[in-house]
Amino acid sequence: MMKKMIAGLLVSGMLFSTVPAFAGETEASKPVEVNWSDIVEQLEAVGSDVISQGEFYTFDEVAAMMWVPNGLTPQELTDEDVENGMIAYFSTDEGDAAASVVYVDADGIDLEGYKESLAEDEEVSDLSDAIFNGIPCIGYDLVDRDTRCIAFETVDGHILEFSFAPVSDEDYSSVMTMMMASIQPEQEAETEA
């Protein structure tokens, strides 16, 4: 299934050369900036219909949305998942790639405080600042879990976190990059390429 999902998306790998991995490729003082409108423009310029090979999912709890390719399907959440703040989970039929959305009660901690707490965690690497579609966030990897995460601060003192795995899968990397670039407030999505 992963091969089918990747087939139409490989062109995005070339297009996203301007969307670097978080750490190591940016100046220390300047966060990576990613805008979905730029991605849409690049896709239109090469005549790609990649966006039509997936759809936007809206997460009503947080008024946010993300594009998800057809090969990743929404999974039913368990009571435990919901108790732990998970609001969405997508995976391939084989379970070899996944993305999740978690709404974390951070006890009023802001994004900088969350970043500081992550910096103390030995499992966290490549912790850095970014701006996705005009919204400040932090990105980091959980190396032992082969996972990349993006965390946003919400106005009500929560952290909205998107996680993608496996980072080590080069084919999934382009898909993951496109999904990350699409995270935005629900009313701003440009869904047609």
Side-chain angles (χ1 to χ4, degrees), residues 32-103:
V32 172
E33 289 193 46
V34 178
N35 292 297
W36 181 247
S37 59
D38 295 339
I39 303 302
V40 170
E41 187 177 300
Q42 290 176 348
L43 291 170
E44 288 174 345
V46 296
S48 175
D49 67 346
V50 169
I51 296 172
S52 68
Q53 296 176 36
E55 64 183 281
F56 273 91
Y57 285 85
T58 300
F59 312 111
D60 294 327
E61 300 89 335
V62 293
M65 61 192 303
M66 176 177 70
W67 178 86
V68 179
N70 294 332
L72 290 177
T73 56
Q75 304 299 312
E76 188 171 332
L77 301 178
T78 65
D79 290 340
E80 184 178 350
D81 291 337
V82 174
E83 286 175 21
N84 290 326
M86 187 174 291
I87 57 176
Y89 184 78
F90 303 88
S91 71
T92 59
D93 292 341
E94 296 82 8
D96 58 351
S100 66
V101 183
V102 179
Y103 195 45

Side-chain angles (χ1 to χ4, degrees), residues 16-35:
F16 297 127
S17 60
T18 60
V19 182
F22 290 103
E25 296 185 33
T26 63
E27 298 172 24
S29 62
K30 186 175 180 185
V32 172
E33 289 193 46
V34 178
N35 292 297

